[in-house]
């Protein structure tokens, strides 16, 4: 049967045509007045359609549309929102002041997933939601950024539990024509495609666009008749399939995404790889430069890596994608020829040990080797990452390994309750919206009357309980549980009781059941007749993670036990909507990862923005966020070899904190019924965390540390047919070709055997032999710092020595002064490094000579 296709679009009266413009720009997701506009059209339909305005416009009855045409109040509301969108898109931004020609520094941001709204389910959790918030803040700051990802027609799985509490998954099909995505067309009105060879077949991907405020997000879709059935499935599901499926998806994202931008006529100066999934992008950039500029691999690598940014989110080696040499052969057996490399040289780009013929190809290693700017997502994660990848830089002190950190944040307006936003408007002014990094603005939180802040929080608690009860009832009906148990859902939870929330991906290291280590003691805490406590859990386990599913099953069983049935609930099918209710309505946000396995974590930031207090292991962002009186630490950052012992110690700590600190503070009320001490902590939490842990601060940091210098660096390389890259490669070949001649002949300090007084300077002299090189080709440095009890240098610093004079016999003298500001035991070591500002940092750090 031949099917003839046609498309049906919403039939909107002219007066209501602005609704479509608003629906197709996800700016509405963080504008409370826009959201209330959709709710006014049909509140029940809005909930039923998962907050999808495009589908709503195609579903709402024509009669209702005719009613709206005569509703002066609603029309005025529509005009206000439409005007606000136009004003937003035309307003000047932070980035306008940074560059005269912002478009000359365009940034391509590649991510496997984007969490923008629950009605566009192409995200699984924190990584995707962070990417979505990244785009939203890029829009607010006016960055010339474009997003690139995949358009999954089934998205990430939906979750429900069976009668035993075991997670079940289902994958509903998405109808792109009822989503806020637009197919991209060329000048002739034909779809724009990206084509990439994956294995033995050419795969064609259609390009769609999602508009996020000022930022376009381009998504690739392979579900096309012209593709092989297996290739049509490449964009069927997020994180589905086996390792072979994963590498094919990552080729599509990295190589296909780069070609999609070319097809659209977009040529970024900077390419940001959000996690290693997109790392094949770096190879395609090299291949493209080699072909279009007729340059060598070395020249193309130098030029392209100058504009590459890489963010790693994974704190354990097993979490980084690796592919066997055989699998790489299947997909890159021809590609590597275009790079002018041997097969071993090609595989070496993704290996820690380039000489190990059996080592797998690692996407993170590839990204680290081909990016000039690399970072972890919290200060602690930066340290963990430098330690994890130190084998790539064997002669480099740990703190000089070129992986820095930029701590994650959240897009506050997307996660803040409308009630709290109104309160902020009243007492902070409106500047907190567009300038959330301004600490002076957040200090005004102190002026909010305690009674108003508490009443605002109580309203959100009531909404959370109402939402949870309704959702719980539907869950129990779906599971087929007894009617008596279903009726009890109406009695579950109490908005006046201290409520603790825990919601995240159910990976074992996150320890979702840590709170139940001693069920008897927990039961006493929850059922204290004077000071009761209740728990709300939510989250998904990966479909292949049976250990994670078991954690959920255990919680589901606890929910039905007599001691817990009205005090513990698990909300199924965790998504951005459930997350908003929870981070806005609980009193305490619980986080229990096994340190240091939480790279950053952002759910606690979302809770903090709503005044919710964190109770967390000091891991990820909370190491930076905790300030004694704005939440609670579980332990002091200890790390254990025995996980069972660690669970006992840290669960005991949680019970102690609950019994002695949290519960008494929450229920300690004055005559007016207000928990004054708790409210003080809420205010301190808002004042300390909101101006720091937001994506506007994060994006400004990315811009200042990475994007702007990378754009300058990249643009200089791309000028004059890569003339600079050619000169850099020639310099590298000359200098590194003679590097075996470089030696440190003599190192001494004046009065070396003496004891120096604090505040004095120690003259240091380093004599080096550099053979056929010139003094300008090298930098001579002293690495110095305090020594620990076994003679290891702690927190070393680098002092660049100045060229003093030629000694004869090809020897040169370099000198400098080490400042000794405090007393103690100190040491220093001299080194020589190849010195050229445009040589990739990875190359410079591989060529230390110590002495």
């Amino acid at each position: 049967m031949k099917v003839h296709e046609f498309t049906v679009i919403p039939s909107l009266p002219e007066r209501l045509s602005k609704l479509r413009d608003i629906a197709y720009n996800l700016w509405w997701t963080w504008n409370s007045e826009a959201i209330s506009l959709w709710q006014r059209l049909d509140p029940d339909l809005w909930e039923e359609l998962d907050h999808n305005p495009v589908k709503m416009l195609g579903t709402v009855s024509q009669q209702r549309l005719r009613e709206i045409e005569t509703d002066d109040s609603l029309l005025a509301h529509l005009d206000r929102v439409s005007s606000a969108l136009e004003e937003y898109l035309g307003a000047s931004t932070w980035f306008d002041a940074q560059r005269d020609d912002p478009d000359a520094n365009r940034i391509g941001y590649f991510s496997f997933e984007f969490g923008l709204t629950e009605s566009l389910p192409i995200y699984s959790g924190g990584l995707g939601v962070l990417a979505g918030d990244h785009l939203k803040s890029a829009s607010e700051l006016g960055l010339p950024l474009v997003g690139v990802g995949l358009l999954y027609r089934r998205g990430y799985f939906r979750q429900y539990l069976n009668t035993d509490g075991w997670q079940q998954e289902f994958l509903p099909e998405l109808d792109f024509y009822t989503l806020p995505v637009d197919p991209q067309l060329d000048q002739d009105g034909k779809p724009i495609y990206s084509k990439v060879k994956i294995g033995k077949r050419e795969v064609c991907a259609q390009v769609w666009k999602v508009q996020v405020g000022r930022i376009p997000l381009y998504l690739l879709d392979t579900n096309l008749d012209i593709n092989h059935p297996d290739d049509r499935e490449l964009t069927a599901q997020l994180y589905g399939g086996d390792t072979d499926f994963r590498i094919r998806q990552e080729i599509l994202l990295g190589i296909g995404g780069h070609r999609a931008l070319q097809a659209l006529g977009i040529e970024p100066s900077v390419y940001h790889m959000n996690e290693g999934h997109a790392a094949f992008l770096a190879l395609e950039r090299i291949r493209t430069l080699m072909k279009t500029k007729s340059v060598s691999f070395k020249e193309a690598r130098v030029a392209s890596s100058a504009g590459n940014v890489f963010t790693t989110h994974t704190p354990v080696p097993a979490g980084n994608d690796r592919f066997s040499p055989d699998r790489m052969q299947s997909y890159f057996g021809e590609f590597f020829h275009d790079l002018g490399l041997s097969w071993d040289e090609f595989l070496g780009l993704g290996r820690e040990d380039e000489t190990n013929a059996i080592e797998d190809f690692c996407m993170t290693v590839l990204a680290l080797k081909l990016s000039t700017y690399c970072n972890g997502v919290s200060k602690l994660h930066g340290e963990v990452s430098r330690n994890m990848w130190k084998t790539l830089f064997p002669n480099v002190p740990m703190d000089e390994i070129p992986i820095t950190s930029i701590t994650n944040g959240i897009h506050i307006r997307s996660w803040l309750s409308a009630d709290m936003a109104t309160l902020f408007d009243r007492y902070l002014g409106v500047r907190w919206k567009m300038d959330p990094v301004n600490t002076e603005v957040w200090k005004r939180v102190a002026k909010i009357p305690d009674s108003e802040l508490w009443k605002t929080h109580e309203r959100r608690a009531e909404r959370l309980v109402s939402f949870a009860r309704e959702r719980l009832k539907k869950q129990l009906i779906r599971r087929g549980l007894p009617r008596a148990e279903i009726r009890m859902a109406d009695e579950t939870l109490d908005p006046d009781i201290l409520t603790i929330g825990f919601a995240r991906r159910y990976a074992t290291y996150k320890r979702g059941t840590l709170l139940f280590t001693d069920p008897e003691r927990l039961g006493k805490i929850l059922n204290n007749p004077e000071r009761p406590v209740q728990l709300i859990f939510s989250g998904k386990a990966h479909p292949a993670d049976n250990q994670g599913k078991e954690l959920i099953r255990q919680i589901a069983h606890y929910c039905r036990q007599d001691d817990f049935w009205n005090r513990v609930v698990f909300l199924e099918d965790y998504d951005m909507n459930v997350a908003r209710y929870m981070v806005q309505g609980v009193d305490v946000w619980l986080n229990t990862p096994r340190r240091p396995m939480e790279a950053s974590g952002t759910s606690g930031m979302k809770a903090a923005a709503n005044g919710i207090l964190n109770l967390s292991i000091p891991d990820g962002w909370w190491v930076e966020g905790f300030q004694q009186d704005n939440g609670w630490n579980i332990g002091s950052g200890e790390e254990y070899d025995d996980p069972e012992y660690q669970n006992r110690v840290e669960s005991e700590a949680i019970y102690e904190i609950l019994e002695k600190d949290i519960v008494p503070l929450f229920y300690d009320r004055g005559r007016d019924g207000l928990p004054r001490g708790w409210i003080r902590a809420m205010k301190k939490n808002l004042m300390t965390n909101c101006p720091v842990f937001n994506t506007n601060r994060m994006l400004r940091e990315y811009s200042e540390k990475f994007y702007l210098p990378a754009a300058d660096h990249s643009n200089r390389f791309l000028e004059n047919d890569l003339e600079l890259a050619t000169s850099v490669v020639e310099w590298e070949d000359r200098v590194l070709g003679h590097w075996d001649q470089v030696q440190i002949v003599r190192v001494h300090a004046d009065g070396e055997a003496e004891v120096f007084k604090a505040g004095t300077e120690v003259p240091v002299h380093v004599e080096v032999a550099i053979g056929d090189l010139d003094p300008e080709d090298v930098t001579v440095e002293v690495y110095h710092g305090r020594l620990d009890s076994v003679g290891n240098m702690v927190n070393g610093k680098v002092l660049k020595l100045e060229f003093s004079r030629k000694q004869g016999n090809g020897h040169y003298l370099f000198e400098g002064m080490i400042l000794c500001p405090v007393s103690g035991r100190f040491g220093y070591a001299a080194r020589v490094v190849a010195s050229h500002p445009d040589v990739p940092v990875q190359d410079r750090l591989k060529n230390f000579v110590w002495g």
Side-chain angles (χ1 to χ4, degrees), residues 125-127 275 313-319 377 381 384 502-514 540-542 545 547-549 551 590-603 616-617 619-620 643 646-647 650:
L127 177 70
E275 193 52 282
H313 296 260
T314 310
V316 290
V377 290
H381 181 233
V384 171
F502 181 98
R504 53 199 17 94
R505 180 168 57 89
Y506 273 75
T508 52
Y509 79 86
K510 293 179 182 284
R511 298 188 293 177
T513 57
L514 184 64
K540 299 175 179 179
H542 187 279
D545 184 3
Q547 289 181 306
K549 291 181 180 181
L551 297 177
L590 178 65
N591 189 31
T592 55
R594 182 170 286 115
R595 179 184 162 112
M597 298 178 73
E598 183 90 293
S600 174
T602 54
S603 62
S616 177
I617 297 290
D619 199 7
Q646 180 177 3
N647 290 348
E650 293 179 340

Side-chain angles (χ1 to χ4, degrees), residues 433-450:
K433 294 178 179 178
M434 299 308 294
D435 189 19
V437 302
N438 191 316
T439 55
E440 294 302 314
V441 170
W442 290 104
K443 287 179 181 178
R444 299 173 189 169
V445 165
K447 298 180 180 180
I448 300 176
D450 288 357

